[in-house]
Amino acid sequence: MSERRVGVAVDFSACSIKALKWTVDNVIRDEDHLILITVLPEGSYEGAGESQFWAVTGGSPFIPLSELLESDISKKYGVKPDAETLDIVTTLTNQKKVQVLLKVYWGDPREKICEAIDKIPLSSLVIGNRGLGKIKRVILGSVSNYVVNNGTCPVTVAVNVVIPLLRLPSFVFMSGVSTTLPVIRSGLKIILVSLETSSTECFEIEAA
């Protein structure tokens, strides 16, 4: 694989579709690998024992886009990619020299996404979230909160709200984010991207 392996956590919801589109429009460049990470509940196995085997051996093999487009993808891996997601990544590969892969995990999404970061490994990760809770803890108790605090690569949280203008001395702000994601997390420095307004705020938070 190339040095840039950009991950997007997807569950094929409207929010994850928007996060994927933002990633494609703002982050992905030629020669990148776009890795879609999806986590299914433990026990939701499909196929003749393959899924059960993959669940305890680090997830499924990398699934190429050509296989994602096949009609029996759900039967083999238990995933059901929606038409919009497939259209976004298919259009991307027609426009740029990018390899799109899907990897399926089974279990706790928080732990499995962090496992994906380390084992693939990912250069950066974009994860969607439907709302914004207590800013200091970044959406208390959510998957994104856990990944931000425990992931070992830069994490961008794409939220489905308008990000308020925060004026706290411990927060660091930046106007905009380039396609190379120059603001690398130091401690708990993260990037929040509003999917509604395309505004971006980068700030540093304290560990809970």
Side-chain angles (χ1 to χ4, degrees):
M1 289 187 180
S2 68
E3 292 186 1
R4 290 236 317 175
R5 297 173 294 274
V6 180
V8 181
V10 297
D11 60 6
F12 309 112
S13 65
C15 184
S16 78
I17 291 171
K18 287 185 177 181
L20 174 61
K21 189 175 187 307
W22 181 87
T23 305
V24 167
D25 291 343
N26 296 277
V27 180
I28 298 298
R29 63 193 187 205
D30 282 338
E31 308 300 335
D32 281 349
H33 281 72
L34 173 60
I35 315 293
L36 307 183
I37 306 297
T38 191
V39 183
L40 301 178
E42 191 171 1
S44 59
Y45 307 121
E46 301 287 341
E50 290 179 319
S51 297
Q52 293 175 327
F53 173 75
W54 293 329
V56 296
T57 57
S60 72
F62 286 111
I63 306 166
L65 178 58
S66 59
E67 193 171 353
L68 278 179
L69 298 172
E70 294 177 359
S71 59
D72 64 345
I73 183 72
S74 174
K75 184 180 297 185
K76 187 171 183 180
Y77 298 102
V79 295
K80 298 178 181 179
D82 62 284
E84 188 171 359
T85 293
L86 294 177
D87 180 66
I88 291 170
V89 294
T90 300
T91 301
L92 169 65
T93 57
N94 289 334
Q95 296 176 343
K96 295 181 180 180
K97 297 178 181 179
V98 174
Q99 185 170 359
V100 176
L101 301 166
L102 172 71
K103 191 167 178 67
V104 183
Y105 292 86
W106 289 262
D108 186 328
R110 299 170 300 175
E111 296 176 356
K112 293 302 178 180
I113 291 173
C114 287
E115 179 182 324
I117 290 173
D118 293 334
K119 295 293 180 63
I120 290 175
L122 296 178
S123 305
S124 62
L125 175 78
V126 178
I127 184 169
N129 201 289
R130 292 178 176 83
L132 200 63
K134 294 181 179 179
I135 298 297
K136 188 175 181 181
R137 297 185 64 176
V138 189
I139 316 165
L140 177 63
S142 69
V143 173
S144 57
N145 178 49
Y146 184 92
V147 174
V148 162
N149 281 277
N150 294 277
T152 56
C153 75
V155 176
T156 300
V157 181
V159 296
N160 245 349
V161 296
V162 176
I163 299 174
L165 180 61
L166 305 172
R167 295 188 179 280
L168 298 177
S170 61
F171 284 11
V172 179
F173 292 92
M174 296 194 68
S175 57
V177 55
S178 80
T179 57
T180 56
L181 289 178
V183 184
I184 303 304
R185 190 171 58 127
S186 173
L188 292 180
K189 184 176 291 184
I190 67 165
I191 300 165
L192 280 181
V193 177
S194 172
L195 297 172
E196 296 299 322
T197 65
S198 296
S199 63
T200 303
E201 303 291 358
C202 174
F203 57 85
E204 188 166 358
I205 59 174
E206 299 174 0

